[in-house]
Amino acid sequence: MPGAKRERMEPDLNVPVKIKRLRRQAKLPAYATDGAAAMDLCAALEAPLTLAPGQRALLPTGFAIELPGPEYVALIFARSSLGARHGVALPNGVGVIDSDYRGEVHVALANHGDEAYVIQPGERVAQMAVVPVAHAVLQEVGELGGTARGEGGFGSTGKL
């Protein structure tokens, strides 16, 4: 009907995610506070692991998940305290867990610092957020619409 208003659907922010413990020492993901956007992920290690400067490691979390469908993705981010204090962060920036992955969730960490860092069993090593996904429908065109920024790239909008 022309001119009819569309009813806006509010997103359901309580997304059911199935989780399976794969290792006895696994700590399942949890939100540290009521305002946390992401759940803490812990290393499911049997013994401490030393990460030397420049070294990378793939840490098990001891669990697998099942997202409700392709409209969701789980993203793994570094813990800011590990990066700021010790230079330990994800080497790939952000980890992506697709909705059809059913294997154990792992966290890749790299030591960009100057000193070795010891990861303890059960230590919080990353955080995971479940977020909606928009699937792009690409439309190849000869020209793109103009903007004030145009083709200005890195740093083109200024420092402050």
Side-chain angles (χ1 to χ4, degrees), residues 51-57 86-89 109-117:
L51 199 57
Q55 186 179 12
R56 294 183 304 270
H86 307 286
V88 175
L109 287 181
N111 185 347
H112 302 289
D114 297 328
E115 298 178 11
Y117 182 77

Side-chain angles (χ1 to χ4, degrees), residues 21-139:
R21 188 185 305 262
L22 302 174
R23 298 171 189 255
R24 63 172 173 69
Q25 71 272 32
K27 291 183 179 179
L28 297 184
Y31 294 98
T33 67
D34 289 342
M39 297 172 269
D40 288 329
L41 299 183
C42 299
L45 300 172
E46 294 190 18
L49 174 71
T50 300
L51 199 57
Q55 186 179 12
R56 294 183 304 270
L58 192 59
L59 306 176
T61 62
F63 69 87
I65 61 172
E66 180 181 335
L67 295 167
E71 60 277 0
Y72 292 98
V73 64
L75 300 176
I76 298 178
F77 300 98
R79 291 196 69 230
S80 53
S81 60
L82 282 180
R85 295 180 188 150
H86 307 286
V88 175
L90 278 67
N92 58 335
V94 175
V96 174
I97 303 170
D98 296 309
S99 65
D100 56 353
Y101 177 66
R102 294 294 185 271
E104 183 173 9
V105 173
H106 286 80
V107 174
L109 287 181
N111 185 347
H112 302 289
D114 297 328
E115 298 178 11
Y117 182 77
V118 179
I119 301 164
Q120 299 296 329
E123 180 176 347
R124 294 178 296 160
V125 293
Q127 48 191 334
M128 180 177 73
V130 175
V131 297
V133 173
H135 281 258
V137 178
L138 301 179
Q139 300 172 343

